[in-house]
Amino acid sequence: MTAYIVRRLLYAFPILIGVNLLTFLLFFVINTPDDMARLHLGGKRVTQEAVDKWKADHGYNKPLAINLSAQGSGKLTETIFFEKSLRLFFFDFGRADDGRNIGADIRQRMWPSLAIAIPGLLVGLFVNVTVAMLIAFFRASYIDTWGVIVAVAMMSISSLFYIIGGQFLFSKMLRLVPISGYDGGLNAVKFLILPVIIGLIAGVGTGTRWYRTIFLEEIGKDYVRTARAKGLSELTVLFGHVLRNALVPILTGVVVVIPLLFLGSLITESFFSIPGLGSYTIDAINSQDFAIVRAMVFLGSFLYIIGLLLTDISYTWVDPRVRLN
Amino acid sequence: MNRPTNKNALLQVQDLRTWFYTEEGVVRAIDGVSFTVRRGETFAVVGESGCGKSMTALSIMKLVPEPAGRIISGKILLEGQDLCQLPEVEMRRLRGQRISMIFQEPMTSLNPVMTVGAQIAETLQHHFSMKGAAAKARACELLDTVGIPDPITRYSEYPHQMSGGMKQRIMIAMALSGEPDLLIADEPTTALDVTIQAQILELLKKLQKERGMALLLITHDLAVVSEIADKIAVMYAGQIVEMSDRDVFFEHPKHPYSQKLFDSLPVKNKKGKPLEIIRGNVPPLSKAFAGCRFVNRCDQAWDRCEQVIPQWTSFLTGGVRCHLASPKDAETRPEEATEVVKQEALDPQISLKKETLLKISELKVHFPIQKGLFKKTVGYVKAVDGISLAIDAGKTVALVGESGCGKTTTGKAILQLIRSISGSIFFGDVDLTQLTGEDLRKKRKDFQIIFQDPYSSLNPRMMVRDIIKEGMAAQKISNESMDSSTSRCDEESTIDRLLDDVGLPAQVKNRYPHEFSGGQRQRICIARVLAVNPKLIVCDEPTSALDVSVQAQILNLLKRLQEKLGLAYLFITHNISVVEYFAQEIAVMYLGRIVEYGLVEEVLENPKHPYTRALLSAVPQVDPKEKRSIIRLAGDLPSPINPPQGCHFHPRCNEALPVCRESYPPQSSFSSSHSTCCHLY
């Protein structure tokens, strides 16, 4: 097990190096520092001096990969690649274009992201499993048929509709919760209820349908027949036997996204003006702040790798048959 | 029909009908079944797949898959109480307590994420409100009863940590936990090896005697029935066609179907003769019958059989559903119909010239086990560990042994589907282990394989025509001299000829595998193999997924093709009676090595190795009068990763000598063909 985890972590290095090189290629070779400067300074009528000054201010005035004018090891270290890209490995994200420390911003903004993502995940999982279980209990009946129809209908509607519709109904018409915004401490709750509920509604169709398939597949298996032959009631069979087996694919599907919760949701956070990492990324994209985008891409890849590793480990936890070797 | 007022009757099934409502219409899976199981008796229901025997068991448990399946009418009386009238809540109290059931597949019938102990304790808690330590103690007691060593450790193990035989014991322990009056066993040993089968049957017999419970045994295996049943019912197409006491039944089966079942069994004294087959297929159960359900496949049928549904004729020990059994009806039978269409007898095989086709020496196939951070190889699974074998052209060599002994790996290694690590395989004068790439690919047309499961070994997205054509195209077998249009014609006629060879009409080439029955699919597999004109065919358990009557058809076909084309077969099987009937030579494998080798008569009549003797003693006999004493093998097959020191078999051997622990025995010969590896000789 330990050997497995160590090996997987070692595998992560080449992947992260690949991610790093790819982001470097995208952000500095394809989109050169000159392009960035011109974008920031606005349009085409920018003098070369202004571009150079912007680059010098933001530390983009060095060669990309090899600095021939520097001495000794400086040939490699005094370059954009070393200073901007390689430092990501140590989670040193540097400064944004407006001079703010990206690392500090991320540490501060991940809490609001987590504040909607974690309740969203837990409530979503609970509701999806419960509804799917109910549908599976009433399989091959009208409840099943209509459950699936409603689920398909709900998953066919864009989440944007749910957001705007929800804000209109609950905030504008019924005036139950604020339309958008955020506050620290317990005051945050009233701002978080609506996004969590809307996230739930937007995801319940897909989740229910998927989990229903998993449950029905398990219900058809031989061990379920054995459990019924013992004289157990249908509910005991479902909760005692089917659920535990169905949790294997469900849980592993959930575990992989847990690390990504830190990154927040791009759409929900910007619509509800929640100062999390999702809206941070969107704002950075809108303002062409590539330092932030680069940091978020790297962080996302890293968290995804961690998520996949956690998934494999969680397999051994829920399924005694799996041995990591 | 048989309606005893016997006080001893435990379960009375009366005119049971279980129908399935499908999109294609109503399928009458069980159509008027009546029988009585007495206290403490073993009642066997025999029949081929699809005859409704498993559905009968599920109907008694009231576990018919709903909503498609429904019990339409009839009574299921357990000590006079009709289960059909019982609400589900009451029924649940009965299930697992008064009636328990064990299933065919112990591999999938246990919950994989629960410890076996918890699964047994669950029943105890449900029916007797036993909890915690009390439930655990009782569960361990039950594990001990079914012969599981070290029950306390085993209690907290998961099903995947156990062998097939152990899992079936767990199933039995679970079924016994409610102390049932009736135990339903649905093919309890079909998925197990003969040695394990013998253990399980013995266990069931013993438990039944001790507890006085009734056993309803569902099986397709007449030999198993003859071992343990008291009464027998034969089912065909949703009905019981014959019911009788065991001895009467095996002495003199009355229904033509029962007779045919016996005739289609491959046994020694039919060697050289074709097996009786039951022509045609089981009729679809979705239509109503005007006459006897067996009429289309019966050699003794006359017009009355087609027009009038035969009624149940009772006699002393049972009854039969056939016009022949009722003297009044039998009178209407015209004389000429007695003429039974005899199949032409195959010539006994005389092949004087002896030409070695395949010669394997010291073949080893090891699979590395890798562990640790850098996947260091820490050991090997010695699947095949130095075997030598020769197959003559036109002959059949059988390779027998328990599952996990390396039979299939040997077969695949010969075909170079798995590469060996050492040893040689000479096919003619070419060493196959040295061939690679294009040379090997071209050589492949000489040796082919037929797999065990015809359901999964054909590509479901390919038409029969393409399945057969694929091999020919890969090996470029066609007349190149002709232009393209005639060569296509030629190809088509080749396909037609191949299908005709395996007994299928040419029209089937435009159909897909799912449209065929198991036996037909196996025929397609054989046609596919024949397409490249091989000299050797490795048959890996080709009939073990098939019913007896279909098995007879396939064996006859293989035999006929051997005569006609001079094929050699390596017949991998665990079924000794097929070997007896079919093969000339036999090699017994144990843990990657051949322990005994010889002509079939030599080995089966006069087995030398203790393992061969134990294996043969475990094979159930169809004739109930032929009493055998089973040589019990202790424990399971050891792991091929760490085979025991010295003779691999010594830990399970009753005759082990001190020397057996120290060195692997050398080969001793008894005749030019018969040899064994055992220190006793």
Side-chain angles (χ1 to χ4, degrees):
Chain A
M1 180 84 169
T2 323
Y4 177 82
I5 294 173
V6 172
R7 190 165 62 236
R8 280 294 299 269
L9 286 174
L10 290 180
Y11 283 157
F13 271 103
I15 301 173
L16 282 176
I17 290 171
V19 168
N20 195 295
L21 287 176
L22 210 64
T23 39
F24 175 75
L25 213 67
L26 285 171
F27 287 106
F28 292 108
V29 180
I30 295 171
N31 185 31
T32 61
D34 278 36
D35 296 334
M36 277 189 256
R38 279 174 212 282
L39 270 167
H40 269 272
L41 298 170
K44 287 167 187 164
R45 266 176 273 168
V46 181
T47 59
Q48 189 59 41
E49 289 80 54
V51 168
D52 289 341
K53 184 174 179 302
W54 187 91
K55 276 163 70 180
D57 285 349
H58 292 88
Y60 291 124
N61 54 349
K62 296 190 175 115
L64 282 180
I66 298 168
N67 191 347
L68 292 174
S69 60
Q71 297 300 313
S73 62
K75 277 191 188 345
L76 289 174
T77 54
E78 286 174 32
T79 57
I80 290 181
F81 178 67
F82 188 83
E83 288 183 357
K84 300 285 179 192
S85 235
L86 224 48
R87 287 201 318 209
L88 292 176
F89 277 115
F90 307 100
F91 299 102
D92 176 359
F93 299 117
R95 293 188 175 275
D97 289 346
D98 57 10
R100 292 171 63 95
N101 183 326
I102 298 175
D105 269 355
I106 289 176
R107 273 190 291 281
Q108 188 203 343
R109 280 174 161 259
M110 69 185 211
W111 299 113
S113 280
L114 287 176
I116 65 167
I118 289 178
L121 179 84
L122 293 180
V123 173
L125 190 63
F126 178 75
V127 171
N128 289 351
V129 167
T130 314
V131 175
M133 204 70 161
L134 265 176
I135 294 179
F137 184 76
F138 292 106
R139 62 193 169 277
S141 70
Y142 283 110
I143 296 178
D144 187 11
T145 318
W146 280 103
V148 174
I149 291 173
V150 170
V152 171
M154 287 185 75
M155 64 191 267
S156 312
I157 295 170
S158 159
S159 62
L160 294 176
F161 174 83
Y162 292 119
I163 293 173
I164 297 166
Q167 284 176 328
F168 181 77
L169 183 69
F170 293 109
S171 307
K172 192 145 186 275
M173 304 273 291
L174 302 173
R175 297 181 178 278
L176 292 174
V177 283
I179 285 187
S180 68
Y182 191 73
D183 201 350
L186 278 178
N187 290 336
V189 173
K190 69 171 184 252
F191 291 102
L192 293 177
I193 289 175
L194 190 60
V196 168
I197 289 177
I198 283 172
L200 172 73
I201 291 172
V204 78
T206 322
T208 304
R209 241 172 62 87
W210 181 34
Y211 295 165
R212 171 186 168 272
T213 319
I214 294 174
F215 285 135
L216 288 186
E217 198 187 311
E218 288 297 326
I219 286 172
K221 289 194 177 162
D222 286 351
Y223 71 85
V224 176
R225 191 182 54 186
T226 310
R228 291 207 185 105
K230 283 179 185 172
L232 303 178
S233 70
E234 190 64 18
L235 279 180
T236 321
V237 171
L238 279 183
F239 282 95
H241 290 266
V242 173
L243 185 60
R244 287 184 61 177
N245 279 281
L247 274 184
V248 177
I250 292 178
L251 217 59
T252 45
V254 168
V255 168
V256 72
V257 301
I258 287 178
L260 295 177
L261 295 179
F262 283 97
L263 296 183
S265 153
L266 301 181
I267 294 171
T268 313
E269 286 182 15
S270 33
F271 269 87
F272 290 97
S273 314
I274 288 163
L277 288 177
S279 53
Y280 188 53
T281 314
I282 287 278
D283 292 346
I285 292 169
N286 287 336
S287 62
Q288 305 281 342
D289 193 333
F290 292 105
I292 296 174
V293 178
R294 211 164 52 230
M296 295 306 289
V297 168
F298 185 78
L299 195 61
S301 323
F302 174 76
L303 291 173
Y304 193 60
I305 290 169
I306 296 293
L308 290 175
L309 180 60
L310 286 179
T311 309
D312 286 351
I313 295 171
S314 69
Y315 263 124
T316 62
W317 179 49
V318 291
D319 191 338
R321 283 165 297 182
V322 177
R323 287 282 163 273
L324 297 180
N325 263 319
Chain B
M1 168 153 190
N2 193 14
R3 284 208 185 105
T5 44
N6 197 331
K7 280 237 169 65
N8 256 333
L10 174 69
L11 177 83
Q12 285 171 282
V13 175
Q14 293 174 356
D15 204 26
L16 179 72
R17 275 166 225 275
T18 304
W19 292 4
F20 280 79
Y21 294 85
T22 65
E23 280 170 26
E24 281 90 48
V26 183
V27 177
R28 299 166 175 85
I30 305 176
D31 207 13
V33 162
S34 309
F35 61 91
T36 302
V37 183
R38 293 191 191 83
R39 243 169 246 292
E41 139 186 285
T42 301
F43 189 97
V45 178
V46 200
E48 297 183 278
S49 44
C51 72
K53 54 189 194 305
S54 287
M55 221 27 90
T56 309
L58 288 178
S59 299
I60 294 168
M61 292 291 275
K62 285 184 65 194
L63 283 175
V64 177
E66 287 179 337
R70 233 176 293 160
I71 297 175
I72 295 300
S73 67
K75 283 182 181 159
I76 302 168
L77 303 172
L78 185 72
E79 293 188 313
Q81 186 181 30
D82 189 359
L83 303 186
C84 294
Q85 306 299 325
L86 222 52
E88 175 64 16
V89 185
E90 295 285 319
M91 193 60 214
R92 267 182 219 141
R93 229 167 274 158
L94 277 168
R95 260 184 227 137
Q97 192 179 2
R98 302 206 45 206
I99 316 175
S100 294
M101 189 161 174
I102 51 182
F103 298 95
Q104 173 169 7
E105 274 289 341
M107 320 297 164
T108 55
S109 293
L110 290 168
N111 188 336
V113 303
M114 262 170 105
T115 61
V116 293
Q119 295 188 52
I120 299 172
E122 186 181 39
T123 323
L124 295 169
Q125 189 183 345
H126 182 73
H127 290 297
F128 305 114
S129 311
M130 260 190 223
K131 284 205 179 83
K136 180 168 178 176
R138 177 78 186 115
C140 288
E141 225 175 281
L142 285 162
L143 289 176
D144 192 50
T145 314
V146 296
I148 288 190
D150 196 7
I152 295 172
T153 324
R154 290 295 185 176
Y155 181 90
S156 39
E157 282 189 4
Y158 289 94
H160 72 273
Q161 293 165 286
M162 301 187 170
S163 66
M166 286 266 229
K167 280 185 220 171
Q168 197 59 294
R169 282 165 197 269
I170 301 286
M171 284 296 293
I172 295 173
M174 210 145 74
L176 289 181
S177 62
E179 286 160 19
D181 300 324
L182 174 66
L183 177 64
I184 304 177
D186 187 358
E187 306 262 12
T189 58
T190 306
L192 306 173
D193 277 316
V194 269
T195 49
I196 310 294
Q197 164 167 298
Q199 291 174 10
I200 297 286
L201 290 180
E202 205 178 328
L203 173 69
L204 283 175
K205 260 195 282 192
K206 186 182 124 227
L207 292 169
Q208 186 192 19
K209 202 175 276 172
E210 281 170 11
R211 295 166 182 246
M213 69 184 174
L215 180 64
L216 178 62
L217 178 75
I218 311 258
T219 185
H220 70 279
D221 192 340
L222 287 171
V224 168
V225 171
S226 97
E227 289 279 310
I228 70 170
D230 299 316
K231 266 202 120 174
I232 290 160
V234 180
M235 271 190 91
Y236 182 79
Q239 287 188 328
I240 291 180
V241 293
E242 180 166 1
M243 186 150 42
S244 190
D245 281 355
R246 174 185 62 174
D247 294 338
V248 179
F249 179 76
F250 280 91
E251 191 75 27
H252 201 71
K254 295 212 169 48
H255 197 278
Y257 175 64
S258 320
Q259 293 162 4
K260 278 284 192 182
L261 279 183
F262 278 102
D263 292 341
S264 58
L265 285 178
V267 284
K268 191 173 39 183
N269 54 23
K270 293 182 197 156
K271 197 157 186 164
K273 287 178 269 180
L275 295 168
E276 281 288 332
I277 56 158
I278 308 180
R279 61 191 145 88
N281 292 310
V282 181
L285 299 176
S286 47
K287 63 175 177 68
F289 292 92
C292 174
R293 296 175 184 218
F294 190 59
V295 62
N296 296 327
R297 309 176 71 189
C298 185
D299 293 332
Q300 304 171 46
W302 72 102
D303 48 2
R304 184 175 174 86
C305 299
E306 285 190 23
Q307 292 148 7
V308 183
I309 295 174
Q311 292 305 306
W312 185 255
T313 314
S314 296
F315 42 83
L316 198 61
T317 58
V320 67
R321 189 185 291 280
C322 180
H323 288 311
L324 282 170
S326 126
K328 208 169 73 216
D329 291 333
E331 272 170 23
T332 66
R333 186 161 184 249
E335 271 309 299
E336 63 267 32
T338 38
E339 253 181 66
V340 177
V341 190
K342 273 277 173 228
Q343 283 199 327
E344 50 176 311
L346 294 173
D347 296 330
Q349 196 166 4
I350 312 158
S351 149
L352 290 172
K353 64 169 178 151
K354 192 174 157 159
E355 182 202 338
T356 304
L357 184 67
L358 184 83
K359 191 161 171 45
I360 307 166
S361 34
E362 285 303 311
L363 182 74
K364 286 187 183 182
V365 182
H366 292 183
F367 300 106
I369 309 160
Q370 295 168 327
K371 266 215 173 93
L373 188 52
F374 298 105
K375 295 204 170 174
K376 209 169 62 192
T377 303
V378 293
Y380 289 94
V381 178
K382 293 169 186 133
V384 178
D385 200 22
I387 70 165
S388 304
L389 192 76
I391 303 177
D392 292 341
K395 290 280 174 125
T396 304
V397 175
L399 196 56
V400 299
E402 290 172 277
S403 45
C405 73
K407 316 188 283 287
T408 297
T409 312
T410 308
K412 287 187 179 163
I414 290 171
L415 297 171
Q416 298 297 310
L417 296 172
I418 301 176
R419 299 311 286 249
S420 49
I421 61 156
S422 72
S424 62
I425 304 169
F426 274 96
F427 193 91
D429 47 8
V430 191
D431 186 357
L432 298 182
T433 58
Q434 304 301 324
L435 289 183
T436 49
E438 191 65 8
D439 294 337
L440 176 62
R441 204 181 66 76
K442 280 199 183 122
K443 197 73 191 158
R444 281 193 191 282
K445 74 171 197 303
D446 286 341
F447 42 92
Q448 289 288 315
I449 185 166
I450 304 169
F451 295 100
Q452 172 170 11
D453 186 358
Y455 293 91
S456 55
S457 55
L458 291 171
N459 186 338
R461 302 262 179 275
M462 274 168 92
M463 276 196 288
V464 171
R465 166 213 305 271
D466 300 318
I467 289 171
I468 295 173
K469 212 155 63 179
E470 201 177 30
M472 297 186 339
Q475 296 291 349
K476 301 199 175 53
I477 295 169
S478 62
N479 282 338
E480 281 136 5
S481 57
M482 299 192 193
D483 64 286
S484 66
S485 66
T486 42
S487 110
R488 180 167 303 151
C489 240
D490 189 55
E491 202 173 75
E492 291 296 304
S493 67
T494 311
I495 294 173
D496 293 353
R497 182 179 55 77
L498 286 166
L499 286 171
D500 185 54
D501 276 351
V502 298
L504 290 172
Q507 303 91 285
V508 305
K509 65 186 172 187
N510 292 328
R511 286 158 66 185
Y512 288 92
H514 73 263
E515 299 174 62
F516 298 92
S517 69
Q520 288 172 321
R521 281 186 221 206
Q522 203 59 297
R523 285 167 192 268
I524 296 169
C525 290
I526 295 172
R528 171 185 65 80
V529 161
L530 291 178
V532 296
N533 304 319
K535 299 196 180 84
L536 169 75
I537 300 179
V538 174
C539 306
D540 191 356
E541 307 257 13
T543 59
S544 57
L546 306 173
D547 278 319
V548 202
S549 65
V550 183
Q551 164 173 294
Q553 295 172 9
I554 297 294
L555 290 179
N556 281 348
L557 172 63
L558 288 173
K559 196 102 198 163
R560 208 185 69 224
L561 292 170
Q562 186 169 46
E563 310 273 311
K564 191 174 151 194
L565 306 169
L567 297 169
Y569 294 130
L570 177 67
F571 206 86
I572 298 170
T573 185
H574 66 270
N575 189 337
I576 303 288
S577 59
V578 170
V579 175
E580 240 173 358
Y581 167 74
F582 196 71
Q584 283 90 40
E585 281 165 55
I586 179 170
V588 182
M589 253 185 114
Y590 187 76
L591 220 58
R593 296 193 182 172
I594 291 176
V595 295
E596 185 159 0
Y597 186 88
L599 298 177
V600 165
E601 302 82 55
E602 291 172 333
V603 176
L604 298 185
E605 304 277 308
N606 191 9
K608 295 289 184 187
H609 197 283
Y611 175 67
T612 317
R613 280 190 232 148
L615 191 67
L616 294 180
S617 80
V619 178
Q621 297 297 323
V622 175
D623 187 353
K625 276 177 282 176
E626 207 169 295
K627 280 289 161 233
R628 67 196 169 115
S629 58
I630 298 170
I631 304 170
R632 285 204 60 167
L633 286 185
D636 288 318
L637 195 70
S639 151
I641 300 169
N642 258 325
Q645 280 285 312
C647 174
H648 290 350
F649 186 59
H650 85 261
R652 300 172 78 191
C653 183
N654 300 326
E655 298 166 64
L657 306 166
V659 66
C660 299
R661 241 166 250 123
E662 278 142 33
S663 64
Y664 195 83
Q667 196 175 31
S668 358
S669 299
F670 307 100
S671 71
S672 61
S673 46
H674 193 183
S675 64
T676 186
C677 291
C678 181
H679 283 303
L680 289 175
Y681 307 100

